[in-house]
Amino acid sequence: MADIHPFRAFRYANQNGPQPVVPAQVVTQPYDKISPALQDRYYAASPYNLVRIILGRKEVNDNPANNVYSRAAAYFRDWRQQGVLRQDPQPSLYAYSQRFSLTGSGKEGSGTEMERRGFIALGRIEDYSAGVVFRHEQTLAKPKADRLDLLRATRGHFGQIFMLYEDSGPVESLLRSPAEPDIAVTDEYGVLHRVWQVSDPAVIASVRAAMSDKKVIIADGHHRYETALTYRNECRAGASSPGTQQIDAPHEFVMMTFVNMNDPALVILPTHRVVHSLPSFSEEAFRNSARAFFDIDEIDAPIDAARATAILRECGRSGTSILAVTGNRAFLLHHPNPNAAQVFGGLSVRQQSLDVVQLHKVLLENVLHLSEESIRNQQNISYVRDAAEALGHLEGAPRANIVFLMNPCRVSQVRDIAFANEVMPQKSTDFYPKLLSGLTVYALD
C-alpha cells in the first residue's frame, strides 16, 4: 500500500544562515490560490519569495529560451548555490501542524481554535489502477500542462500533495514532539503553520510500517499529482534501458502531506455558485421548473449570510439542502424527488446523494439549461467560498441572476466516492486551511 520515504528537504535558511530570510516573507499559498493581488504582494515581500518559481510573472519579451519556466529554473539553481535554500543533512520526515480559527466560515463551531496535524514525506507515485492512491475530482488539461512545463524546467516539487489516510491515531502520536518547531509562520489568513524535522531512524521506520497498509486519497493537488505521474512516465520512457526502471529513482516520488481523515480538525468548507449573464432569467420560471425535482419552501427576503448558513445547516441534518437566492426572493430546496433519476445518467446512488451533484445535474443543467462544457469553462458561473461575498453578487453591476448557497461536503462522502473509484463535480471540496508551499522543497537532482 502507501510507500512513504524520508528525504533531505531543501529549506529556506533561517535568520542565522548565509542568506537569511524571514519565513513569512518567502512561503506562499498553493499556486492555484494565488490571485494577481497576492502575487504582487509576494513579489514585494522578498526577492527570494517562492512565487518567482511556482507562479512567476510573464514578460513582454518571453520566448522559448526565456520565459516563466526558464526563470523559475534559474531561481531554483541560484538560490541553492547562494545558500538561500539549504538541504538538510539527514533524511527526515517533517511533522506539520496548522492552528486556525473558523471565524466567519459559517461552519458549526465557528470561532473556536482548531489544530490539524499531519506529516510531510515522499510518497511513491502510483497509477490509480494500483488501488493505492485514489482521487475524488476530475482534472483539466490546461493546469496540468502548465505544471508539467514547470516540473520539466526545475526538476523540483515546491508544495505538497494533500493526502488523506484513515487511522485511529498511532501514526500521529509517533511524530509528536515537545521541542520547539523548526519552522513557525503565520500566513495571511491568520493560520499558524509549524514544522518539526524528525530524523530519528527508529521513529521513521515505525511511521513507514504504520503507513504500509494504508490507502490514500488526494484531498488537494489532483493536477500536481497527475503531473508528477506524467513526468514519472516520461522519465521511465527516456531511461537508457526503457523497461528496466529504478524503483527508487527520484522521479518515482512526489512530496506529500499526510493527514488522518479522522482528525476532527479536518475541515471542508462549502463552495457556493454564482450564476450570471443568463440571456433570460425568471424567478418564477426557476421556481416552477425546480418544483419538479425538489420540495421548495420560500424564505422571507432579504436574507444575510448568517441566517442563510443557519437555515442550510438545520435543513441539511436530514439530507440535501440548497438555498437559491435572487435579488428579490429566496428558495430552500430539499428532499429531492426520487423519480427524477433520469437526469443523473449513469451516476451511482452515492454520487446522486451529494448536494453538489443535485445542484449541477438538476438545477444548473436541467433547470437553467447550462451545458456541462459551459460549466466546466465557467462561462456563466463563478465559485465563491464566502456566503456573504456570494450574496454580494446580487447587488451592483454586473448583477448575478441567482446564487446557490450550499452546505459543505462531508469527509465520509469524499472517502466513499474516492474508494468507489468515482469522482465529484469540480469545486466540490474546499479543504481548509491550505498547505503552504515552500516549507520543504524536494529536488530531483
Side-chain angles (χ1 to χ4, degrees):
M1 289 297 185
D3 183 15
I4 70 160
H5 289 247
F7 67 113
R8 296 174 57 211
F10 279 90
R11 292 191 285 152
Y12 278 102
N14 61 26
Q15 283 84 342
N16 299 318
Q19 292 286 353
V21 296
V22 178
Q25 295 176 353
V26 293
V27 297
T28 75
Q29 295 293 318
Y31 81 98
D32 57 338
K33 299 299 179 182
I34 300 176
S35 65
L38 196 52
Q39 184 187 45
D40 290 343
R41 177 176 171 180
Y42 287 150
Y43 260 86
S46 168
Y48 304 119
N49 189 283
L50 191 72
V51 73
R52 288 173 169 78
I53 293 178
I54 64 170
L55 196 68
R57 286 173 173 157
K58 295 182 179 180
E59 298 180 0
V60 175
N61 297 322
D62 276 358
N63 57 62
N66 181 25
N67 51 55
V68 291
Y69 308 113
S70 64
R71 289 191 291 273
Y75 283 125
F76 189 32
R77 180 189 64 243
D78 293 346
W79 294 353
R80 285 185 286 176
Q81 292 175 350
Q82 296 165 14
V84 176
L85 289 168
R86 293 188 296 172
Q87 190 170 29
D88 287 333
Q90 297 173 294
S92 305
L93 304 179
Y94 300 85
Y96 184 10
S97 159
Q98 295 169 288
R99 188 172 291 171
F100 61 99
S101 170
L102 288 174
T103 301
S105 70
K107 185 177 173 66
E108 198 162 10
S110 176
T112 59
E113 189 172 72
M114 308 179 78
E115 184 177 19
R116 187 177 73 194
R117 301 183 70 94
F119 68 95
I120 304 169
L122 297 187
R124 184 175 297 280
I125 301 167
E126 303 274 6
D127 295 308
Y128 292 137
S129 59
V132 177
V133 175
F134 294 80
R135 60 178 180 164
H136 74 273
E137 285 185 355
Q138 295 279 18
T139 54
L140 303 175
K142 187 175 179 180
K144 288 191 289 187
D146 165 60
R147 292 299 96 181
L148 184 57
D149 284 339
L150 181 66
L151 180 54
R152 287 168 176 159
T154 62
R155 285 183 54 80
H157 296 283
F158 306 94
Q160 316 103 50
I161 313 298
F162 187 172
M163 291 291 196
L164 304 178
Y165 68 95
E166 195 159 20
D167 186 68
S168 59
V171 174
E172 182 183 316
S173 64
L174 288 167
L175 292 164
R176 286 191 177 272
S177 171
E180 290 297 309
D182 296 278
I183 304 171
V185 57
T186 300
D187 69 18
E188 45 273 290
Y189 303 110
V191 180
L192 173 61
H193 302 256
R194 295 183 296 166
V195 176
W196 293 261
Q197 182 181 2
V198 180
S199 303
D200 185 332
V203 173
I204 292 171
S206 296
V207 173
R208 292 192 66 202
M211 291 294 294
S212 63
D213 65 345
K214 309 296 185 192
K215 298 183 291 185
V216 293
I217 298 170
I218 303 171
D220 267 340
H222 288 77
H223 290 91
R224 284 176 290 135
Y225 183 82
E226 293 184 12
T227 294
L229 180 60
T230 298
Y231 188 70
R232 181 206 70 177
N233 293 342
E234 287 184 357
C235 291
R236 285 181 176 181
S240 56
S241 300
T244 60
Q245 53 181 287
Q246 296 175 280
I247 61 171
D248 289 334
H251 57 256
E252 296 287 332
F253 300 91
V254 68
M255 194 164 56
M256 301 175 177
T257 289
F258 297 89
V259 173
N260 186 353
M261 69 177 75
N262 294 325
D263 187 336
L266 182 62
V267 172
I268 302 177
L269 298 180
T271 301
H272 309 296
R273 273 65 172 163
V274 176
V275 178
H276 58 84
S277 308
L278 298 179
S280 61
F281 175 77
S282 160
E283 295 164 334
E284 195 61 28
F286 168 81
R287 179 178 181 273
N288 290 338
S289 182
R291 287 179 68 178
F293 302 99
F294 293 94
D295 290 348
I296 299 180
D297 298 332
E298 186 151 4
I299 307 298
D300 291 339
I303 187 167
D304 61 15
R307 182 168 166 238
T309 301
I311 291 170
L312 280 169
R313 182 187 302 140
E314 182 59 33
C315 185
R317 298 184 193 282
S318 59
T320 292
S321 174
I322 300 169
L323 194 59
V325 186
T326 69
N328 303 301
R329 302 172 73 178
F331 307 102
L332 179 64
L333 296 86
H334 55 97
H335 290 94
N337 184 342
N339 297 319
Q342 69 275 6
V343 305
F344 296 106
L347 296 182
S348 70
V349 174
R350 276 181 300 270
Q351 290 167 303
Q352 293 178 38
S353 68
L354 298 172
D355 290 11
V356 68
V357 169
Q358 293 280 342
L359 171 58
H360 274 245
K361 302 305 292 185
V362 176
L363 298 176
L364 298 183
E365 294 181 28
N366 277 274
V367 174
L368 296 181
H369 305 295
L370 302 181
S371 69
E372 287 187 49
E373 182 180 7
S374 72
I375 295 170
R376 187 165 53 247
N377 295 332
Q378 299 184 30
Q379 290 175 214
N380 295 96
I381 188 170
S382 58
Y383 300 89
V384 180
R385 175 192 287 171
D386 184 74
E389 181 184 348
L391 291 171
H393 286 271
L394 294 168
E395 303 173 359
R399 183 173 172 177
N401 300 111
I402 188 168
V403 168
F404 294 101
L405 302 181
M406 305 179 64
N407 283 315
C409 178
R410 298 189 301 276
V411 174
S412 61
Q413 292 176 309
V414 175
R415 178 197 62 205
D416 293 347
I417 290 290
F419 285 160
N421 291 307
E422 298 170 353
V423 294
M424 299 177 175
Q426 63 194 105
K427 305 290 186 181
S428 294
T429 57
D430 184 4
F431 287 88
Y432 182 83
K434 300 305 179 188
L435 308 177
L436 286 187
S437 295
L439 296 173
T440 58
V441 173
Y442 173 45
L444 302 188
D445 50 27

